[in-house]
Amino acid sequence: MNTTTHSTHVQGPRKIRKTITQFEQLTRLLVLPFAFALAHVFPHWMEGMVQLVEEGNMHRFELLDVTEENNSKNYEGAYVVKMKPCKDYAIVCADLFKNRGLSYGDEIELCWDTNSLNFKFKLIN
């Protein structure tokens, strides 16, 4: 019987709640913190996908805006890139900023959906 609490498998999608910074508003990038990506996104990606992003390439995916539960919007051109020289990553989806009118101080939620293999976004305020 194994009773250890350490596991590389994450149960279900974990959400990150964050506030849009001035940097994010100006660059139209959503910063995905290194620790969150490492713990709650990368374990669900194939190893090759993680390696490509680590090497400076982009990984395309669909970003689903679920702010309005009955009227979600899908952004197909979104992608993740490593932000150099720091360890964090960026979710690039300029249309999301434009269409949602995202600005400094807005509170949002992000999570990697393990069922649909895409990011889900929600504007809280």
Side-chain angles (χ1 to χ4, degrees):
M1 180 166 68
N2 185 353
T3 58
T4 61
T5 57
H6 301 291
S7 173
T8 57
H9 180 70
V10 177
Q11 298 295 322
R14 294 286 310 250
K15 295 177 183 173
I16 181 174
R17 197 172 192 148
K18 61 186 283 322
T19 302
I20 299 291
T21 64
Q22 287 179 322
F23 172 81
E24 289 171 312
Q25 180 183 352
L26 290 171
T27 59
R28 295 182 173 229
L29 301 173
L30 292 174
V31 175
L32 184 63
F34 173 78
F36 184 84
L38 196 62
H40 305 295
V41 178
F42 291 167
H44 304 289
W45 287 11
M46 291 184 293
E47 190 175 323
M49 291 164 42
V50 175
Q51 188 175 355
L52 284 172
V53 171
E54 283 296 315
E55 292 170 354
N57 298 295
M58 70 174 92
H59 173 59
R60 290 196 178 277
F61 60 88
E62 294 179 357
L63 185 137
L64 189 61
D65 181 352
V66 296
T67 302
E68 300 166 29
E69 290 182 28
N70 297 328
N71 189 26
S72 59
K73 179 160 176 59
N74 192 6
Y75 295 94
E76 295 180 9
Y79 59 93
V80 172
V81 293
K82 187 170 181 74
M83 296 175 63
K84 294 179 181 179
C86 73
K87 289 185 172 185
D88 294 333
Y89 302 88
I91 297 175
V92 181
C93 188
D95 287 345
L96 177 69
F97 275 82
K98 186 175 106 182
N99 294 344
R100 265 286 152 220
L102 293 179
S103 59
Y104 172 65
D106 287 344
E107 192 171 353
I108 65 164
E109 276 182 358
L110 282 172
C111 76
W112 179 257
D113 186 344
T114 56
N115 294 322
S116 61
L117 302 178
N118 62 32
F119 276 100
K120 287 191 175 175
F121 165 91
K122 185 174 187 178
L123 178 62
I124 305 300
N125 67 349

